[in-house]
Amino acid sequence: MTNKVPETMNISLLNKPLDMEIREVKVPQIGATDVLVKVMAVGVCGSDVHYYEHGRVGEFVVEKPLILGHECSGIVAAIGSEVTNFKVGDRVAIESGIPCGECEYCKSGQYNLCPDVSFLATPPIDGAFSQYISHPEGFLFHIPDALSYEEATLNEPFSVGIQACKRASVQPGSTIVIMGMGPVGLMAVVAAKAFGATKIIVSDLEKIRLDEALKLGATHAINIKEEDVSERIDEITEGKGAHYAFETAGNPTALQNALSVLNNGGTLAIVGLPQQENIELNIPFIANHEINIVGIFRYANTYNMGIEMLTSTTADLKTMFTDTYDLNQAKEAMEQARTNKSGSLKVMVYPNGKPE
Ligand SMILES: [Zn+2]
Ligand SMILES: [Zn+2]
């Protein structure tokens, strides 16, 4: 069943670093279990900026023109013949990664570790800077009216925060330190609050990000340009240290600091990836204090939980959306995200036009 789906659509293509263009292509065909989604909002992620600027993220290299954007939501425009859970007009959040469903990781529920995952805007898989995308029904999620399309796109970075809270087993009443207040760090604040952490201490060097963290539920903000992080955390926790520390920025010094502020039995979650592979960590400290260290790679089984938490949070998520662009301004959007780190939080692209 279809509903006035046009034959062609516009996409924004990254040809090579810093070179983007709009192109008109055919609207994708859908398979029996796929849904055609009219993409209403796409959040620009750090990885998009990386592909835009450098043409690669680690081992993933842009070898042919790529459609960026993986934090997306939209409205169902058509459904395949075997789709049962969605109908035309439904509002949906799109989970970016489609795993194989067959391997041992998929079968054990750790499908984020599937070696054959297709992840939007990760070469060679195209993303959502596109008026329509075809996506399997199993990786779409209904969003309630109370959640805007923009807010629904936050479920992607939010899912990373949830994954970190799950992996670290964040408990109610606990103290957590989150270092790096980029979008993932900010959404980790919302996640930590939803998991019941009562002291949420954050650090960054940009005032706009620290202010936003306080709005979203952080209890203490440390500007690393002005204060010594370890000393301040010692003060705030009255010398007890934190139960959990998340490092989200990929900053080696922050990672070392995050480890050092943990109390006995504390857990360090490594969320951000540093440029360099090897970083010195204090091994006797890890052993003597029985520190747990968990790596975080994307997320699995977080989307329903994320939508519920985003719908019920008291945090004002709208303050995240600092910049909005139409699809034909996608290059400007990428430039804004790339160059204005002290003025922008989340940059949003609207493939089907900005809302009124
Ligand atoms: Zn992302
Ligand atoms: Zn798999």
Side-chain angles (χ1 to χ4, degrees):
M1 123 182 221
T2 54
N3 190 14
K4 283 182 261 137
V5 178
E7 283 190 5
T8 63
M9 65 174 187
N10 287 333
I11 59 171
S12 168
L13 265 190
L14 175 70
N15 287 319
K16 55 179 196 295
L18 308 180
D19 175 3
M20 291 178 78
E21 68 166 312
I22 298 290
R23 216 180 274 174
E24 193 175 339
V25 297
K26 281 215 162 67
V27 169
Q29 297 289 316
I30 52 173
T33 55
D34 295 332
V35 171
L36 186 70
V37 180
K38 183 176 183 182
V39 182
M40 299 304 283
V42 189
V44 173
C45 179
S47 68
D48 295 315
V49 176
H50 226 85
Y51 287 122
Y52 168 73
E53 190 170 8
H54 305 291
R56 67 183 300 153
V57 174
E59 66 212 52
F60 295 102
V61 182
V62 180
E63 276 162 353
K64 62 176 183 60
L66 180 74
I67 303 176
L68 294 174
H70 65 261
E71 303 178 357
C72 48
S73 65
I75 183 163
V76 173
I79 57 172
S81 58
E82 289 168 26
V83 168
T84 54
N85 198 21
F86 296 93
K87 59 181 192 314
V88 171
D90 285 352
R91 302 168 74 247
V92 290
I94 300 167
E95 183 170 347
S96 322
I98 307 158
C100 81
E102 303 290 334
C103 71
E104 63 175 297
Y105 303 105
C106 282
K107 285 182 172 161
S108 67
Q110 297 169 286
Y111 62 81
N112 54 321
L113 303 179
C114 172
D116 293 319
V117 69
S118 299
F119 201 91
L120 295 184
T122 304
I125 308 296
D126 279 325
F129 281 0
S130 174
Q131 289 187 293
Y132 293 86
I133 64 171
S134 166
H135 208 71
E137 149 172 69
F139 292 87
L140 292 176
F141 298 83
H142 291 280
I143 52 177
D145 291 344
L147 207 62
S148 69
Y149 289 117
E150 294 88 339
E151 289 166 331
T153 69
L154 290 179
N155 204 32
E156 206 277 334
F158 187 48
S159 283
V160 179
I162 294 175
Q163 181 78 3
C165 287
K166 280 166 73 177
R167 295 263 298 141
S169 312
V170 171
Q171 298 297 313
S174 58
T175 296
I176 182 167
V177 171
I178 307 176
M179 295 188 172
M181 285 296 111
V184 168
L186 288 168
M187 295 314 292
V189 170
V190 180
K193 196 179 169 198
F195 274 73
T198 41
K199 248 181 211 156
I200 303 175
I201 306 165
V202 302
S203 68
D204 200 280
L205 42 74
E206 300 288 0
K207 187 175 182 309
I208 180 178
R209 296 175 184 273
L210 293 168
D211 289 346
E212 180 68 12
L214 290 168
K215 282 186 210 153
L216 293 177
T219 54
H220 302 79
I222 305 171
N223 191 323
I224 57 178
K225 276 197 293 205
E226 293 158 9
E227 298 175 287
D228 182 281
V229 187
S230 305
E231 264 173 38
R232 274 294 286 141
I233 293 171
D234 209 49
E235 261 170 47
I236 295 164
T237 63
E238 294 161 349
K240 292 203 275 283
H243 300 102
Y244 316 98
F246 294 179
E247 204 289 321
T248 74
N251 181 310
T253 308
L255 190 63
Q256 289 160 338
N257 283 334
L259 174 64
S260 72
V261 301
L262 288 170
N263 63 6
N264 290 344
T267 299
L268 173 66
I270 302 174
V271 184
L273 281 193
Q275 295 288 339
Q276 75 211 65
E277 288 184 354
N278 296 301
I279 291 169
E280 279 183 31
L281 292 178
N282 185 336
I283 302 304
F285 183 87
I286 295 169
N288 296 342
H289 298 275
E290 294 205 330
I291 300 300
N292 307 293
I293 299 182
V294 292
I296 309 302
F297 184 68
R298 295 173 180 161
Y299 43 80
N301 298 307
T302 55
Y303 256 64
N304 276 324
M305 184 192 278
I307 288 165
E308 297 225 345
M309 285 175 169
L310 289 178
T311 306
S312 60
T313 183
T314 53
D316 183 5
L317 302 169
K318 289 181 187 65
T319 53
M320 288 286 290
F321 312 121
T322 48
D323 307 271
T324 57
Y325 296 90
D326 285 326
L327 187 67
N328 58 17
Q329 303 169 303
K331 183 175 164 66
E332 285 96 313
M334 299 310 296
E335 279 298 322
Q336 180 72 356
R338 181 173 80 95
T339 59
N340 192 8
K341 295 208 163 59
S342 54
S344 282
L345 294 170
K346 210 43 161 166
V347 175
M348 198 60 57
V349 172
Y350 295 91
N352 283 286
K354 281 206 248 184
E356 294 301 304

